[in-house]
Amino acid sequence: MSTRRGWLVTVLAFAALAATAGRSLAQTSQEDVLAQKTWTLVNLHLQQARTLEEQFDLAGAEQQLLAARAVDPDNRLVNDYLATIQSLKAMPEDEARASAMTAADRAAQQAESMQIQAVAELAMAQRQLAAGNTDAAARAAQRVVDRVQATRGTVEWGDIEVRARELLAATAVGTANETEAQRRERERQAYGQLQAQELAAAERGQQRLQTLLKAGADRYLVNDFEGAETLAQAVLEEDPENAEARELADAARDAQRQNADRKFLDDRREQILRWRESMEEVRIPYADILTPPDKDHWAEISKLRGSSRALGLKADDPEVQAIVTRLAEQRMDADFQDMTLVQVANQIYFSTNIPVSVDPEVAQELDSAGETVNLSGLRDLPVESVLNILVEQVGENLAWTIRNGRVYITKVEKAAGNPIVRVHNIQDLTFPITDFKGANIRDIPLPGEAGDDNETTIFNSELDRVRLISPDEVLNLVRENIARESWDASEAYSIDFVDSQNLLVIHTPEVQAQVADFLDDLRAFSTSMVTLEARFFALTDAFIEEIGTDLRGLGPDGNLGNQVELDDVDPANSQGLDNNGDGTGNPNAGVFYEKGNDAYAATTEFFFNNPLGQLLNTVGGGAFQFAILNDAQVNVVITAVEKSVNAYEISSPVVSVYNTQRAFVTVVNQVSFVQGFDVDVANAAFIADPNIGVVQEGIVLDVRPTISFDRKYVTLDVQATVANLVRPIREISTNLGGNTDQVTFSLPQLDVQDAQTTVVVPDGGSVLLGGFKHVLYRNRTAEAPWLADIPIVGFFFQEKGLSDEMTDLIIVIRATITDYSELEAESGKR
């Protein structure tokens, strides 16, 4: 067992050493590659600077040297060359031309400087090899070899390359000749490290078990017996002989059994309490216009049914998001002159440390066509903007995207990515909205007419059902506004109907998200609702007064002595209304005097043929009667009544409708009347079968709301109708023919007021519709001529009536925009 463990420790030690060596080698290789790229780019700028200096373009040479210094700020050759060019720029042109060295001289000087640097680096490599640092010596010698190969043909290196390669060979031999003692020492150190790690792991395991036991005891103390048992079992799985864990598990199991009965009783009690609370909740009606669910319920239904944006798209990669952020925030200067696209990508990488690559196919096509990049004067721009300008200048068919942690410049079709298939539901956008037409109460239906019965149900085919937008219009809007050129550019992309309620879109994930956003924008207006609250205030202010005095009532039925009827009085002048008469007989005397064979009798009656008021009548009040029974008998009846009413009635219906949907509210009273008769003849007898008609009186409010583009105002098309049935209903009696009895028809009359208008109200604002006023003022007098003008006495010879009635109907409409997306956001915050 010990031998097996020693072998395992040795293998792990070698693996650890190999991993460490691999990481060191990878890091060293990456540093060498970066240094080689830096030297190559610096050398390119130096060559272009020498060419520009030969043409005496000192400014261009200075720009190339500044670009080289941006890549390698510590390069002495670049800094010396830049100082020389800047000093020549400060001189007059003739003196500068005389002082300037030729390009060949400059190249010779640079070659000499490079040779000196290479010799110095080889000497440093020799010292590193002598000290035993073979890795450092190998890297230095390799840099010299790479530099010689990069400048072959332009610099005479002599035997420097041979010396560098010999030094590389010596470092390889030194690495191979590593002593056996060094290898054994490394194995011994690795074995010691593994033993220390095993001891530390064992201690950590014991500490973990003690922590689990302590947590289980804490759970037991707070009556979480199930949790305590779970933690104790976890300890026993790792250490079956642990007595403390076994005791804790048994105690927790016993406590759970004892707690089961008590928990059952508590649960039943809580269930009864919830049942009673739900019953009490029914007593309280909801008063809000739209009552949202509570936060927990909203989270539950969102989890079960998902979101309306469940397109199944993968979440953005954090690495991609980080690059996008850097492209938007990091800024750079762009000065590319006669450079290939690959060179520009490398320049951007060295300047911003954002990896940029070019599609090899694109690079080959541009090289074959001789296309180069010329951009200058771009200062302090985001890297994202520089990339957009770059691909726009190089070619219309190029684009950049982010793949595998780097910016990738390729063709548009490759940058778009692979298409995916998704279905977008548009049922809520294309649902036909029903317009509800208010009932017609302006007219009284004639016999045989049914009125507006066909407007009473949304399932009746005669109702108007309007689509705000058709499925074909939704499809065309998507094609014309989202990636419009791509639908016909490639057969891989398409959009069509699955059915009338779903769109099938085949496109890239980015376009799928844009289509979903576009449909959500359409829903923001087409699925919005307007809640209309109408308040009808019916105001009534009426006053009626009637005072009169009559001399009447001394007829035989009054048992007041020798009373007589005034049979010689013309009934046309006095209708016999005293003592509840029906107006068909002669009136009784009100004053009677008899002496001997002479008798004198008289009466006075003051009345109004038509009712004095409409809202109030004169029934009731006070009545006073005075009778003098003597030789001269007098009976005086005084009537006086005064009534007033000051009242208002309010009704407040609320209705919610879709944007541009027509709706109505009615507050009506239906009155039945005999409209006509169907006559049947049987055995020479006429049988009248009445036809019952229905007339409606009340209020009908017909409204169509339209939400403004900024969702701040609502335009209301309003039509209000107020119809009042004139009472009493007029009746006509006639015979059907022959000796039949009379039949009676009703002729109802409607008093109609109508208003139609268009108003604009802010969201949550109100509009007042008035003008439905009715005023009735009557002042009547019935009196006996001359006698009524006598002071005091005239009171007994007249009757006066006053009626002053005013009614007004005020309609207040409040419009509130209801947006379900806002409701969802609000419910998510609560």
Side-chain angles (χ1 to χ4, degrees):
M1 184 68 179
S2 60
T3 304
R4 194 173 177 184
R5 175 172 294 183
W7 174 81
L8 178 60
V9 170
T10 303
V11 171
L12 292 177
F14 279 126
L17 292 175
T20 304
R23 288 194 296 271
S24 176
L25 182 59
Q27 181 178 4
T28 301
S29 177
Q30 185 176 4
E31 292 176 354
D32 292 341
V33 171
L34 182 60
Q36 180 62 27
K37 287 184 177 180
T38 302
W39 172 252
T40 302
L41 188 57
V42 168
N43 189 41
L44 177 63
H45 285 300
L46 287 174
Q47 292 177 6
Q48 292 179 351
R50 285 197 295 270
T51 302
L52 294 173
E53 181 190 5
E54 183 70 20
Q55 300 172 1
F56 204 70
D57 185 1
L58 300 180
E62 182 185 13
Q63 291 297 327
Q64 292 295 330
L65 291 172
L66 288 174
R69 189 175 67 176
V71 176
D72 190 0
D74 298 329
N75 194 306
R76 189 179 66 181
L77 180 60
V78 173
N79 292 329
D80 294 343
Y81 194 1
L82 179 60
T84 302
I85 293 297
Q86 289 176 344
S87 64
L88 291 175
K89 286 183 61 180
M91 298 180 183
E93 184 176 353
D94 296 338
E95 183 179 354
R97 287 182 180 274
S99 301
M101 300 174 63
T102 64
D105 295 338
R106 186 76 64 191
Q109 182 182 1
Q110 292 176 359
E112 182 180 358
S113 177
M114 292 166 62
Q115 291 173 353
I116 294 172
Q117 290 182 5
V119 172
E121 199 158 8
L122 284 177
M124 182 190 68
Q126 289 286 359
R127 291 192 298 270
Q128 293 289 348
L129 182 59
N133 299 327
T134 56
D135 292 341
R139 290 196 300 271
Q142 185 63 47
R143 285 197 296 270
V144 174
V145 173
D146 293 339
R147 192 170 303 172
V148 170
Q149 291 178 350
T151 59
R152 189 182 303 277
T154 60
V155 178
E156 182 62 35
W157 291 99
D159 63 343
I160 292 178
E161 182 179 4
V162 176
R163 292 166 55 189
R165 292 190 180 278
E166 291 177 351
L167 186 58
L168 276 176
T171 57
V173 173
T175 303
N177 293 333
E178 186 180 16
T179 62
E180 182 68 20
Q182 291 175 338
R183 183 180 63 80
R184 292 179 178 178
E185 178 63 21
R186 286 198 301 270
E187 291 180 359
R188 186 188 64 79
Q189 292 178 357
Y191 180 74
Q193 291 177 358
L194 289 176
Q195 282 185 329
Q197 291 176 1
E198 287 183 355
L199 291 176
E203 293 180 357
R204 287 195 299 271
Q206 289 297 326
Q207 292 179 356
R208 178 175 175 273
L209 295 180
Q210 291 299 325
T211 302
L212 290 176
L213 281 175
K214 183 178 183 303
D218 294 339
R219 294 286 183 89
Y220 185 89
L221 294 176
V222 296
N223 296 331
D224 184 6
F225 306 118
E226 184 177 358
E229 184 183 6
T230 302
L231 293 175
Q233 290 295 340
V235 175
L236 290 174
E237 288 178 1
E238 297 186 17
D239 186 7
E241 303 301 328
N242 194 309
E244 296 179 353
R246 177 67 62 187
E247 183 180 358
L248 178 60
D250 294 341
R253 194 177 300 108
D254 294 340
Q256 287 185 73
R257 286 195 294 266
Q258 295 176 2
N259 195 42
D261 294 340
R262 184 167 59 256
K263 186 176 183 301
F264 169 76
L265 295 176
D266 293 341
D267 290 345
R268 188 171 64 175
R269 185 182 301 108
E270 183 178 357
Q271 184 178 1
I272 294 175
L273 290 176
R274 285 200 303 268
W275 173 75
R276 293 194 61 181
E277 289 177 357
S278 63
M279 296 298 293
E280 292 295 332
E281 186 179 359
V282 176
R283 301 175 182 267
I284 305 174
Y286 292 110
D288 294 339
I289 293 177
L290 187 61
T291 304
D294 56 54
K295 183 178 179 180
D296 295 336
H297 181 66
W298 190 271
E300 181 180 354
I301 62 176
S302 299
K303 180 179 178 181
L304 292 175
R305 300 167 189 166
S307 172
S308 59
R309 295 294 305 279
L311 299 179
L313 302 178
K314 292 192 338 184
D316 293 336
D317 189 354
E319 185 178 5
V320 174
Q321 284 296 322
I323 295 178
V324 171
T325 303
R326 292 182 60 190
L327 290 175
E329 296 179 354
Q330 194 164 349
R331 311 179 79 86
M332 66 173 291
D333 297 337
D335 193 357
F336 312 130
Q337 298 295 330
D338 295 327
M339 300 176 65
T340 64
L341 186 58
V342 175
Q343 291 174 338
V344 171
N346 292 333
Q347 179 71 32
I348 295 175
Y349 171 55
F350 289 129
S351 300
T352 63
N353 202 25
I354 298 176
V356 181
S357 299
V358 181
D359 187 350
E361 181 182 355
V362 173
Q364 183 178 0
E365 291 180 359
L366 294 178
D367 291 341
S368 300
E371 293 284 345
T372 58
V373 179
N374 290 280
L375 287 177
S376 60
L378 302 180
R379 297 289 182 266
D380 195 30
L381 289 179
V383 181
E384 180 181 6
S385 301
V386 174
L387 290 172
N388 292 333
I389 297 172
L390 178 63
V391 296
E392 183 178 356
Q393 187 201 52
V394 174
E396 295 181 354
N397 196 30
L398 294 184
W400 62 270
T401 185
I402 300 176
R403 290 181 183 171
N404 301 324
R406 60 192 306 112
V407 178
Y408 191 64
I409 301 177
T410 183
K411 294 183 178 180
V412 173
E413 54 269 19
K414 290 184 178 180
N418 297 325
I420 62 174
V421 180
R422 291 296 181 269
V423 176
H424 299 262
N425 186 274
I426 59 172
Q427 179 181 3
D428 54 346
L429 289 172
T430 60
F431 178 81
I433 297 177
T434 305
D435 278 341
F436 298 96
K437 178 183 176 183
N440 180 19
I441 63 172
R442 299 179 182 86
D443 304 322
I444 299 175
L446 298 176
E449 292 185 354
D452 292 328
D453 291 341
N454 61 332
E455 303 290 345
T456 58
T457 171
I458 64 172
F459 301 104
N460 195 304
S461 60
E462 297 185 20
L463 284 175
D464 296 332
R465 297 174 65 84
V466 181
R467 292 183 186 269
L468 298 180
I469 183 171
S470 67
D472 292 333
E473 290 173 338
V474 174
L475 186 145
N476 292 332
L477 284 173
V478 173
R479 288 181 59 93
E480 294 174 0
N481 292 276
I482 305 299
R484 49 192 262 174
E485 297 180 356
S486 65
W487 302 108
D488 300 326
S490 174
E491 296 181 356
Y493 304 143
S494 65
I495 179 172
D496 204 347
F497 290 108
V498 178
D499 49 40
S500 61
Q501 301 177 358
N502 295 279
L503 284 179
L504 177 65
V505 180
I506 304 177
H507 218 293
T508 61
E510 292 78 8
V511 173
Q512 297 284 4
Q514 293 176 13
V515 171
D517 291 337
F518 182 78
L519 295 178
D520 285 345
D521 290 339
L522 288 179
R523 291 185 180 94
F525 283 91
S526 60
T527 61
S528 295
M529 299 191 69
V530 179
T531 299
L532 301 172
E533 179 183 3
R535 295 190 178 185
F536 303 98
F537 296 86
L539 308 179
T540 302
D541 187 5
F543 174 80
I544 192 170
E545 181 183 65
E546 184 176 9
I547 300 176
T549 304
D550 291 336
L551 301 175
R552 58 183 173 84
L554 288 174
D557 296 335
N559 298 320
L560 296 178
N562 296 324
Q563 300 135 359
V564 298
E565 293 184 0
L566 301 180
D567 51 1
D568 57 349
V569 178
D570 187 357
N573 295 327
S574 183
Q575 297 181 6
L577 296 177
D578 56 330
N579 294 336
N580 296 322
D582 58 3
T584 59
N586 294 330
N588 296 326
V591 176
F592 178 76
Y593 177 75
E594 180 180 11
K595 188 174 182 180
N597 294 327
D598 298 328
Y600 305 92
T603 185
T604 60
E605 293 181 0
F606 304 103
F607 56 87
F608 302 133
N609 291 329
N610 297 321
L612 182 62
Q614 292 183 347
L615 301 179
L616 300 175
N617 56 46
T618 57
V619 176
F624 307 94
Q625 182 174 357
F626 301 94
I628 300 175
L629 302 179
N630 204 337
D631 293 340
Q633 300 180 14
V634 179
N635 189 36
V636 181
V637 179
I638 300 175
T639 58
V641 59
E642 178 179 308
K643 295 181 180 180
S644 65
V645 60
N646 186 353
Y648 65 89
E649 181 181 356
I650 300 177
S651 58
S652 180
V654 178
V655 63
S656 294
V657 297
Y658 276 103
N659 185 24
T660 71
Q661 184 185 14
R662 182 178 178 182
F664 68 92
V665 175
T666 61
V667 181
V668 298
N669 178 36
Q670 295 181 336
V671 179
S672 302
F673 64 97
V674 178
Q675 195 175 41
F677 291 89
D678 292 333
V679 179
D680 296 330
V681 180
N683 298 326
F686 294 92
I687 301 174
D689 186 10
N691 295 324
I692 306 300
V694 177
V695 62
Q696 300 183 97
E697 64 172 348
I699 303 168
V700 175
L701 180 64
D702 202 326
V703 182
R704 184 192 299 274
T706 302
I707 302 174
S708 65
F709 74 98
D710 55 2
R711 306 173 62 80
K712 294 181 179 179
Y713 299 91
V714 179
T715 302
L716 300 178
D717 292 331
V718 183
Q719 176 177 319
T721 303
V722 180
N724 293 315
L725 182 63
V726 177
R727 290 178 173 79
I729 299 177
R730 182 183 175 189
E731 295 180 347
I732 295 179
S733 299
T734 184
N735 291 326
L736 296 179
N739 297 323
T740 60
D741 296 333
Q742 287 187 340
V743 294
T744 302
F745 296 88
S746 298
L747 298 178
Q749 178 182 347
L750 281 178
D751 185 3
V752 180
Q753 300 179 74
D754 194 6
Q756 301 180 14
T757 185
T758 300
V759 294
V760 179
V761 297
D763 180 20
S766 302
V767 62
L768 174 66
L769 301 179
F772 300 98
K773 297 180 175 63
H774 178 76
V775 178
L776 174 64
Y777 180 81
R778 291 174 178 171
N779 191 350
R780 295 177 176 179
T781 301
E783 58 185 14
W786 303 299
L787 296 176
D789 296 332
I790 301 175
I792 301 177
V793 177
F795 172 79
F796 297 97
F797 295 94
Q798 64 181 352
E799 182 170 1
K800 292 185 177 182
L802 174 64
S803 176
D804 187 3
E805 298 176 349
M806 293 181 292
T807 59
D808 189 10
L809 177 64
I810 299 175
I811 303 176
V812 179
I813 304 175
R814 182 187 180 203
T816 304
I817 300 175
T818 303
D819 191 341
Y820 289 100
S821 61
E822 296 174 359
L823 173 63
E824 181 178 359
E826 180 182 354
S827 298
K829 294 178 181 178
R830 292 185 296 113

